[in-house]
Amino acid sequence: MSQKKITRALISVYYKDGLEPILHALAKNNVEFVSTGGTEEFIKKLGYPVMPVEQLTGYPSIFGGRVKTLHPAIFGGILFRRDEAADVKQAADFKIAPIDLVIVDLYPFEETVAQGGSEEDIIEKIDIGGISLIRGAAKNFNDVLIVSSRSQYADVLELLIKNNSSTTLADRKKFASLAFDVTSHYDSAIFRYFNAEQSVSSFKASYANGRVLRYGENPHQKGIYFGDLEGLFEQLNGKELSYNNLVDVDAALNLIHEFQDQTAFVIIKHTNACGVATAPTLKEAYLKALQADTLSAFGGVLASNQKIDLAAAEEINKLFFEILIAPGFDSNALALLKSKKNRILLNQKQTLTATKQFKSLLNGVIEQDQDRHTDSQADLKTVTQRSPTQAEVQALLFASKVCKHTKSNTIILAVDGQMLSSGVGQTSRVDALRQAIEKAKSFGFNLKGSVMASDAFFPFPDCVEIASQEGITAVIQPGGSIKDQDSIDFCNHQNMAMVFTGYRHFKH
């Protein structure tokens, strides 16, 4: 029969919050309780009779609690098939009573790792009995209801009250699916912990808390975000974040992270920077960033690494933008910016910590390390007769930071503390440079004395030739072309400085 009455429940949980009303609902329908340790004591304190697992199995908890439930009296009660005559006979022969409900959660392995626990603590948080109980109960969903996480308590309570502690096959199959989600996520976390040292060539990624988005990149595509947005941000205003919003927010946060020791502001459009600047004050940084492309900034995603004060907010408020991200907002600044109800204001609570990035590709997945290398003065190798001045060095390093986060092929033109323009996503580096020059001029910048950054080497001297014509005086690039010397010779002839970093920053 699809509808089955729960007569006996095995309950053993790490987290007790939310459990009490479930116990009341089960007790009201005369369900017997079997339990262990702290959960057993919890049930007793509520005044309900409970059979200790040790009484059922005839064995005490042994090996420091590592073995408690791994016994045929437990697993037989869960796994025997009630509609198989042979199973029913064996259960009777061995005096194995049915267990119709299992409520078990898992030791907090991920939390222990995240908190920096010792290896001994982490290993002891690898659940054995619990995960076996969950898998066994989920496998036998025809007869058993499995509740595998406290996040399911509200749903199971509603079900128990509504049906007087009876369940349908559809109910049990739904909770079995949730159980295998829990166990697969748990095992993936354990694998990743061990694989940090072993480097087994296998891809395992698991993210819970899926958030259904309005749509994907386009309205005809479905979109879901998996992760903990609430852990990253507090949303203070505005509409729900979209797929494209999330992509741009990620780009903005990765770029602004490059400027930890300076007051910085970035403006992003379709994952590329259309304005980046540093300055003594946030207001100045914003206005300098906006100068680079006042057209593309419309509807953009804005990010700062400083709390938004009123002076900056008064300028930002003049712009139509989608999102503003900052590590805080002064109360008067927040009140002003919230005047537009659809503006998304995000209070950033933590930085991005992912060390890997991956995406689907060719019916598979491609994975790589995050590009965490930021070009520094120590990386710079001067390859021309003239060394860059200190002001040029600062401008080159600034430009390189922006270049790293811009779609290839890319060229960034800048002075110290301000991006003047960018050429992005072009099929040739020459096209990217020409785009950057045209854009800079269209917004009134004089390029004389500015610097140029390239995400990859110059295969020919054409880019430095064009740059020289515009008065650009210094260049930063990875180097590595078999024709590097051609570009070096031209720079020497024009008294330009050029440095190699040895690090390419392609971004596709």
Side-chain angles (χ1 to χ4, degrees):
M1 292 175 60
S2 172
Q3 190 88 13
K4 290 186 181 287
K5 183 78 173 176
I6 297 170
T7 61
R8 200 180 215 197
L10 171 64
I11 306 171
S12 179
V13 295
Y14 189 88
Y15 297 105
K16 313 296 188 295
D17 45 312
L19 181 62
E20 183 176 340
I22 294 174
L23 293 169
H24 291 322
L26 292 169
K28 184 178 179 182
N29 290 286
N30 301 312
V31 175
E32 297 177 17
F33 297 135
V34 178
S35 191
T36 65
T39 309
E40 178 189 341
E41 292 302 315
F42 183 83
I43 296 171
K44 284 180 179 177
K45 286 179 181 178
L46 293 176
Y48 298 126
V50 54
M51 178 184 289
V53 161
E54 293 86 351
Q55 181 180 331
L56 184 63
T57 64
Y59 277 85
S61 174
I62 56 177
F63 308 132
R66 284 188 166 196
V67 179
K68 289 182 286 190
T69 58
L70 297 169
H71 191 279
I74 299 294
F75 280 88
I78 293 168
L79 283 164
F80 89 83
R81 292 160 290 189
R82 279 61 156 174
D83 58 355
E84 288 280 341
D87 283 15
V88 173
K89 182 179 183 304
Q90 279 192 313
D93 290 345
F94 290 102
K95 297 181 173 55
I96 294 175
I99 295 172
D100 312 304
L101 168 64
V102 175
I103 302 178
V104 176
D105 60 11
L106 299 171
Y107 292 156
F109 177 84
E110 285 184 284
E111 293 88 337
T112 306
V113 172
Q115 291 165 5
S118 67
E119 182 174 277
E120 182 181 359
D121 288 341
I122 290 169
I123 297 306
E124 286 307 309
K125 291 300 187 294
I126 297 176
D127 208 309
I128 303 301
I131 203 163
S132 300
L133 289 167
I134 291 172
R135 290 178 63 85
K139 177 177 180 176
N140 198 22
F141 64 85
N142 274 318
D143 300 303
V144 181
L145 177 68
I146 173 64
V147 181
S148 53
S149 168
R150 58 180 168 169
S151 66
Q152 300 162 19
Y153 284 1
D155 288 343
V156 80
L157 177 61
E158 181 182 354
L159 176 67
L160 295 172
I161 292 172
K162 179 182 176 182
N163 297 325
N164 295 315
S165 297
S166 292
T167 64
T168 67
L169 179 61
D171 296 329
R172 297 190 295 275
K173 198 167 188 178
K174 170 190 170 184
F175 279 88
S177 176
L178 294 172
F180 286 119
D181 177 44
V182 168
T183 59
S184 63
H185 179 83
Y186 194 76
D187 283 337
S188 292
I190 295 169
F191 170 77
R192 288 196 302 273
Y193 171 76
F194 279 93
N195 204 39
E197 291 183 4
Q198 304 303 321
S199 299
V200 177
S201 184
S202 179
F203 180 79
K204 299 283 191 302
S206 179
Y207 293 88
N209 306 319
R211 173 188 290 204
V212 177
L213 306 174
R214 295 196 302 273
Y215 50 80
E217 199 163 6
N218 299 292
H220 62 278
Q221 296 170 271
K222 292 181 180 179
I224 304 176
Y225 170 78
F226 296 96
D228 183 14
L229 282 180
E230 286 72 21
L232 279 174
F233 306 112
E234 178 187 5
Q235 184 165 343
L236 304 175
N237 193 65
K239 58 189 178 181
E240 181 184 350
L241 286 158
S242 71
Y243 181 101
N244 292 328
N245 288 157
L246 293 172
V247 173
D248 282 340
V249 166
D250 182 73
L253 291 185
N254 277 296
L255 178 52
I256 200 70
H257 185 71
E258 299 285 352
F259 302 97
Q260 297 181 58
D261 56 347
Q262 298 169 290
T263 296
F265 204 97
V266 306
I267 304 172
I268 296 289
K269 199 69 171 288
H270 295 296
T271 74
N272 290 308
C274 55
V276 185
T278 60
T281 69
L282 190 58
K283 175 182 174 180
E284 292 174 87
Y286 165 71
L287 291 174
K288 285 171 66 178
L290 182 63
Q291 277 184 314
D293 190 341
T294 56
L295 185 63
S296 297
F298 183 87
V301 171
L302 285 53
S304 169
N305 60 0
Q306 303 294 323
K307 179 184 280 192
I308 304 297
D309 57 29
L310 182 60
E314 287 174 338
E315 294 298 331
I316 296 169
N317 192 53
K318 299 173 185 176
L319 177 71
F320 171 78
F321 62 89
E322 284 274 337
I323 302 170
L324 173 58
I325 313 151
F329 294 78
D330 285 345
S331 57
N332 49 6
L334 181 60
L336 175 63
L337 293 168
K338 288 175 72 172
S339 60
K340 302 291 176 63
K341 67 177 183 178
N342 285 332
R343 278 179 178 164
I344 299 172
L345 303 177
L346 299 177
N347 181 23
Q348 185 180 357
K349 297 191 286 187
Q350 58 180 261
T351 58
L352 303 181
T353 57
T355 59
K356 301 283 187 180
Q357 59 182 180
F358 56 88
K359 61 181 177 181
S360 59
L361 192 86
L362 298 173
N363 295 332
V365 174
I366 192 168
E367 180 188 65
Q368 66 172 351
D369 295 336
Q370 293 272 10
D371 184 357
R372 292 302 186 199
H373 180 81
T374 297
D375 295 333
S376 67
Q377 192 156 350
D379 296 318
L380 305 185
K381 177 185 177 183
T382 301
V383 294
T384 50
Q385 293 170 357
R386 182 175 79 80
S387 296
T389 66
Q390 191 55 39
E392 287 174 328
V393 167
Q394 295 306 310
L396 290 168
L397 292 174
F398 174 91
S400 176
K401 290 176 180 178
V402 181
C403 195
K404 169 184 166 182
H405 294 277
T406 309
K407 291 290 178 66
S408 302
N409 287 308
T410 185
I411 293 289
I412 299 296
L413 304 180
V415 292
D416 185 18
Q418 185 179 28
M419 184 184 87
L420 303 181
S421 65
S422 61
V424 304
Q426 298 301 303
T427 53
S428 85
R429 208 154 297 283
V430 170
D431 286 344
L433 175 55
R434 285 175 174 155
Q435 182 189 59
I437 291 169
E438 181 181 351
K439 196 169 187 179
K441 289 180 176 179
S442 70
F443 288 101
F445 289 110
N446 185 337
L447 294 175
K448 286 184 172 55
S450 65
V451 304
M452 173 173 72
S454 174
D455 59 334
F457 63 63
F458 299 122
F460 305 103
D462 43 13
C463 282
V464 291
E465 292 169 1
I466 296 168
S468 173
Q469 293 170 11
E470 300 299 329
I472 293 167
T473 59
V475 180
I476 185 170
Q477 58 138 317
S481 168
I482 60 173
K483 294 190 176 182
D484 276 344
Q485 194 60 48
D486 291 349
S487 294
I488 294 170
D489 290 343
F490 181 85
C491 287
N492 285 334
H493 186 262
Q494 297 297 318
N495 198 34
M496 295 171 68
M498 184 159 64
V499 295
F500 288 177
T501 65
Y503 288 91
R504 189 181 72 186
H505 293 292
F506 270 166
K507 188 171 185 288
H508 295 105

